[in-house]
Amino acid sequence: MDSIYRSTTGKELIRRWCLDQLAAWPVPHERTTVTAKGAPTHIVLAGAGATTVVFVPGTDFNAAASLPLATALVAAGYRVLLVDVPGQPGLSSGERGLSGGRLSWYGAWLNEVIERTSSEPVTVMGHSFGAAIALSSDCPRIERLVLVSPGGLTRLRLTPAVLAPRPPGSCGPRRRAAPGSCAPCSRLAVHPARNW
């Protein structure tokens, strides 16, 4: 399998950042690794509430990047389980292609994570790609789903107009254009490049 990291140095920088963030987090917590669907999966557990919230982060996010949310959930009285999704930057497996490109693999992966970490019903909160993973899980221990900016609800359709190159001076993330100067954007109430 290929690594998601471009270099060993890059992998170590991400891992060190995650470990530093977790070490500096003032909320009492435990870290563990479980194997689910054959993938080493890093988990952070904090809080002692009656309800367990399993947080599944989206693409390019991980447990260490989710600590402000976890802090708020623990303060609100929840037991929180943060997972690093395999195939994403973090402390879980950094192998590319574990899922074979199938969301069902991630759903089965989440089933195993929940079964290995909680004997009680859980609430799963998924962000972006994590929400798609949550929807793909059929674990009977999931009592509630909270989907934050869910991804994967419909098949992505890219039309030729979306993929077409834009002429110089048109709007885009690196160019500032005046409202109304780009025909597709002139129909928007707020120009998308306004605060970029």
Side-chain angles (χ1 to χ4, degrees):
M1 295 267 168
D2 291 332
S3 174
I4 62 167
Y5 301 101
R6 293 182 184 166
S7 68
T8 303
T9 302
K11 176 182 178 178
E12 289 309 313
L13 285 171
I14 295 291
R15 294 181 68 77
R16 174 56 36 213
W17 182 86
C18 291
L19 292 169
D20 289 348
Q21 295 301 304
L22 291 166
W25 191 33
V27 175
H29 62 281
E30 298 173 18
R31 294 181 38 237
T32 190
T33 300
V34 299
T35 299
K37 291 294 285 178
T41 302
H42 175 256
I43 298 171
V44 177
L45 175 63
T51 301
T52 298
V53 175
V54 177
F55 181 69
V56 185
T59 303
D60 293 335
F61 284 87
N62 53 46
S66 307
L67 296 180
L69 171 67
T71 301
L73 289 170
V74 169
Y78 294 100
R79 177 179 181 252
V80 179
L81 236 152
L82 304 168
V83 298
D84 281 354
V85 177
Q88 297 296 321
L91 300 174
S92 287
S93 173
E95 291 183 40
R96 185 184 311 279
L98 289 168
S99 70
R102 300 186 189 280
L103 201 48
S104 60
W105 182 91
Y106 284 105
W109 163 80
L110 183 57
N111 291 353
E112 287 188 28
V113 168
I114 292 169
E115 289 167 6
R116 285 180 168 77
T117 56
S118 182
S119 58
E120 301 295 323
V122 300
T123 296
V124 174
M125 177 185 288
H127 170 254
S128 188
F129 178 55
I133 293 172
L135 287 170
S136 298
S137 175
D138 60 1
C139 182
R141 291 194 184 133
I142 297 176
E143 187 173 65
R144 290 187 178 92
L145 289 175
V146 178
L147 308 177
V148 181
S149 298
L153 297 179
T154 62
R155 184 174 297 278
L156 181 62
R157 294 188 309 173
L158 297 175
T159 63
V162 170
L163 297 173
R166 302 229 191 272
S170 65
C171 69
R174 294 204 166 103
R175 301 192 187 272
R176 293 191 182 267
S181 65
C182 170
C185 297
S186 65
R187 293 185 294 268
L188 299 174
V190 176
H191 196 271
R194 181 173 168 224
N195 291 316
W196 293 354

